Every structure is written in C-alpha cells, then in structure tokens.
Amino acid sequence: MIRHLINRKILNLIFLFSTVLIFGQDYRLEDFETDSIPIRENLWKANHSKEDWVILKTNDSIKIKPNDYNYFKGDSLPFGQKEVAKKLNNQYSIRAVKKVEDGYIIGLNKGEFGGGLWFLSEDGNSSYEIMPYKRIHQILEFNKKLYVISGLAHMGSNYGNLLELKREENWRVSKTYKLPGAPNLMIREKENVLIITSEYLMSFNKYEKLIEILKAPFYWGVLYPSSAIIIDNHIYIAMRKGILKISDFYYNRNYEWYVKK
C-alpha cells in the first residue's frame, strides 16, 4: 500500500513537471514551417489537434507559447475568487476585467450556459449587474470610451456585438454595433481597433465606424483564435494547430499557415 502511494506521488510529480515544461516553453516562428491552408477535411483535423497556440510580441520579435487556456483578459482583481463570486450571484466564469475609476467592470462567459456583465466597487463591498446573459469575451478602452465584445457560436447559432459602455448614475450599454458572427478578440492597430470574429477581420475606427477588412480564407472560428499581433503591415493570428500570417492585410493580402516542425 505504501509503495503504491509512493509510486502514485512520483507519477503525479512527473506529470506536473512535464506540464510545466510544455506550457512554459517558448517558440519562435522559425520553429514552425508553412503548410497548406486548413480547409475541408484538414480543417476538421486541425480542430481536433492537441496543439493550441498563443502569440506575443516583444520589441518587434515574435514569441509563441502553448495555450494554457487561461482565457482571463484584462486587469487583475485584488480579491479572492470566492469573494468575487459572492458579489456576482455566485458566478465564477470571469473572462474579462477592466479597472475603472471607482471599481471594476467584469465580464462573464459560460458559453452556451450564459454570462453577464457586472460592476464591482473598488472596495469589493457592492456590485450590480450591467447586462445579464451576454457572453463577454473582452473589454477594451478605446478613444476614451469602454467597449465590450460579446457573442456565441454554438449549435448553428453564430452572433456577436460590439457594445459601448457609458457611466451615468450606473454603468450601462449606450450603443450596440452588430458583428458578423461571434467575436474572439480585439487588438489595437494604430488609430483603430481590430476585431477578429469567427469568420471576419473587422476594423472599428475613431469615427465609430465598423468596417469589414476581410473574410477569413477558412472558417477559423472552429480553431478558436486566442491572440494576435501586428508587425509592420502583417497580422499574425494564433489558434488551434497553427499560426495564420496575413501579409499586407489591408490591401495585397497573402496568407501563410504555419505549423510546428
């Protein structure tokens, strides 16, 4: 019995050590090679891949890491998870946080089971729901305003919105912009915000115009884009199985699909 427990502890330590090695490892784009764009059966093979990536930019150099599925985006909360959940109607599915002057805007996302958008005071003692049910993916400050992306792609449904938040007595949604499908993420690009949805790359500019830049060369929504960076006029989008590079993505587009060597 003692030997069995010791062996089990050793196996657990080996698993923990290997997990740290896998998720702690960084790669460069040079560690990847180009492959055919994933369409048709190759797309579904990619959908079932165990490889999933996050891409980062440091001093105009590219760093690629395995996705640890820490979907939390935004600012940190100075409270424990249970303490916060008590103020959010016992909900733990925090996806996004944005610090504001007197507290925190908190977005929840439980997929097909719903979500919500909440305000939590700076001292953590009071809260209220800004908007129920909406699946919140990210909160971003742009042009001195707060914007939220929400939506869902599931079982034939595919919808999303860009929401502007405004503070009066309480925070509320002041404007809604319809997106062509569920959004995955937002990134800044010069004087614009780029929004990656399940099948489109959109731009939202300082004049509050939502513009389609391009339709994806394949339905990348099933590969769950996790992150993106822009270097020069090229955008790199990390997702399950690989990295999609779109060169000169505004005009003379060229698509390259990179997978791990």
Side-chain angles (χ1 to χ4, degrees), residues 28-42:
R28 302 171 303 165
L29 196 61
E30 289 77 10
D31 297 313
F32 287 65
E33 60 185 359
T34 56
D35 197 2
S36 301
I37 295 289
I39 57 175
R40 300 184 182 90
E41 65 273 7
N42 288 335

Side-chain angles (χ1 to χ4, degrees), residues 129-188:
E129 192 171 37
I130 301 168
M131 181 175 57
Y133 307 121
K134 296 288 187 180
R135 290 86 173 169
I136 306 301
H137 296 267
Q138 194 174 345
I139 307 168
L140 184 70
E141 184 176 357
F142 171 66
N143 207 22
K144 297 182 180 180
K145 296 179 180 180
L146 284 188
Y147 291 94
V148 172
I149 49 172
S150 72
L152 176 69
H154 178 70
M155 298 291 288
S157 296
N158 189 359
Y159 59 88
N161 293 290
L162 172 68
L163 308 170
E164 180 186 320
L165 301 183
K166 187 176 182 179
R167 176 70 185 269
E168 293 177 347
E169 182 177 351
N170 289 329
W171 286 95
R172 66 177 182 86
V173 175
S174 60
K175 289 183 182 179
T176 300
Y177 303 85
K178 187 176 180 180
L179 295 171
N184 292 95
L185 58 106
M186 296 186 284
I187 59 170
R188 293 182 179 274

Side-chain angles (χ1 to χ4, degrees), residues 2-259:
I2 294 175
R3 181 181 295 176
H4 174 73
L5 290 174
I6 292 173
N7 289 339
R8 187 173 179 180
K9 286 183 178 180
I10 291 172
L11 288 172
N12 287 338
L13 286 172
I14 292 172
F15 175 77
L16 179 61
F17 182 69
S18 62
T19 301
V20 170
L21 284 178
I22 291 170
F23 288 117
Q25 188 168 0
D26 295 342
Y27 298 97
R28 302 171 303 165
L29 196 61
E30 289 77 10
D31 297 313
F32 287 65
E33 60 185 359
T34 56
D35 197 2
S36 301
I37 295 289
I39 57 175
R40 300 184 182 90
E41 65 273 7
N42 288 335
L43 179 58
W44 295 108
K45 286 180 182 178
N47 171 258
H48 290 86
S49 174
K50 293 181 180 179
E51 296 178 340
D52 203 335
W53 305 105
V54 171
I55 192 165
L56 307 165
K57 180 173 70 171
T58 55
N59 298 323
D60 283 339
S61 64
I62 294 173
K63 182 166 67 174
I64 301 169
K65 303 174 66 173
N67 193 344
D68 62 2
Y69 301 102
N70 179 15
Y71 292 114
F72 181 92
K73 290 185 175 73
D75 299 321
S76 59
L77 288 166
F79 314 107
Q81 190 177 23
K82 289 184 179 180
E83 186 180 357
V84 174
K86 287 180 182 178
K87 297 296 182 180
L88 308 183
N89 197 24
N90 293 315
Q91 297 184 86
Y92 286 84
S93 56
I94 295 175
R95 177 63 62 90
V97 175
K98 177 61 182 173
K99 178 71 175 72
V100 291
E101 184 177 356
D102 56 345
Y104 304 87
I105 307 293
I106 301 176
L108 306 175
N109 188 342
K110 296 185 286 185
E112 62 266 35
F113 301 107
L117 187 66
W118 288 73
F119 171 80
L120 178 66
S121 64
E122 193 167 23
D123 59 11
N125 290 330
S126 62
S127 63
Y128 59 84
E129 192 171 37
I130 301 168
M131 181 175 57
Y133 307 121
K134 296 288 187 180
R135 290 86 173 169
I136 306 301
H137 296 267
Q138 194 174 345
I139 307 168
L140 184 70
E141 184 176 357
F142 171 66
N143 207 22
K144 297 182 180 180
K145 296 179 180 180
L146 284 188
Y147 291 94
V148 172
I149 49 172
S150 72
L152 176 69
H154 178 70
M155 298 291 288
S157 296
N158 189 359
Y159 59 88
N161 293 290
L162 172 68
L163 308 170
E164 180 186 320
L165 301 183
K166 187 176 182 179
R167 176 70 185 269
E168 293 177 347
E169 182 177 351
N170 289 329
W171 286 95
R172 66 177 182 86
V173 175
S174 60
K175 289 183 182 179
T176 300
Y177 303 85
K178 187 176 180 180
L179 295 171
N184 292 95
L185 58 106
M186 296 186 284
I187 59 170
R188 293 182 179 274
E189 187 266 331
K190 298 178 181 177
E191 295 183 340
N192 307 316
V193 168
L194 298 184
I195 304 171
I196 296 172
T197 75
S198 55
E199 202 173 5
Y200 289 88
L201 178 62
M202 308 292 295
S203 174
F204 185 72
N205 63 30
K206 62 182 180 180
Y207 304 108
E208 301 183 354
K209 298 295 183 182
L210 192 60
I211 301 166
E212 178 187 322
I213 298 176
L214 60 88
K215 184 176 181 180
F218 59 91
Y219 188 73
W220 60 35
V222 299
L223 302 186
Y224 312 104
S226 68
S227 49
I229 62 171
I230 298 169
I231 297 179
D232 297 325
N233 295 317
H234 315 317
I235 185 169
Y236 300 79
I237 306 173
M239 57 191 80
R240 187 170 294 179
K241 184 58 180 176
I243 309 293
L244 180 66
K245 177 184 178 183
I246 310 176
S247 302
D248 197 7
F249 63 92
Y250 271 108
Y251 303 107
N252 301 313
R253 303 177 191 103
N254 182 56
Y255 299 95
E256 294 176 277
W257 177 245
Y258 288 86
V259 297

